[in-house]
Amino acid sequence: MGILAWILLGLLAGIIAKVLMPGKDPGGIIVTTLIGVAGALLGGWLGKVIFHVDSVDGFFEASTWIAAIVGSLILLAVFRLFARRR
């Protein structure tokens, strides 16, 4: 996948993660995109390490989206944990 596909995937995965975990978060669309892109990378890495599969096959593959959303949910939870302490 190209860099634009990663950014679009990250944006959408970050938005979906925020919808699945409602609440007030600091940051706007930039933070959502960064959490989503990092979450997609984290989800892909976890898929390889835990399940021994290539979970980031292509933009339109379900495994790519599931990995990106799960990774985004993990990072969003960590982000909220640290943002509340400030």
Side-chain angles (χ1 to χ4, degrees), residues 9 20 44 78:
L9 175 68
L20 292 175
V78 170

Side-chain angles (χ1 to χ4, degrees), residues 36-86:
V37 171
L41 294 172
L42 175 67
W45 179 77
L46 287 175
K48 283 185 181 182
V49 170
I50 295 172
F51 301 113
H52 305 289
V53 296
D54 189 16
S55 57
V56 184
D57 292 328
F59 187 78
F60 294 107
E61 297 290 328
S63 62
T64 300
W65 286 92
I66 291 169
I69 293 168
V70 169
S72 296
L73 285 169
I74 292 169
L75 287 183
L76 182 59
V78 170
F79 178 71
R80 285 183 179 179
L81 182 69
F82 286 110
R84 286 192 183 138
R85 290 186 180 178
R86 296 170 95 205

Side-chain angles (χ1 to χ4, degrees), residues 7 10-11 14 18 26-37:
I7 292 171
L11 174 64
K18 279 195 173 186
I29 195 76
I30 301 295
V31 173
T32 300
T33 303
L34 293 175
I35 288 174
V37 171

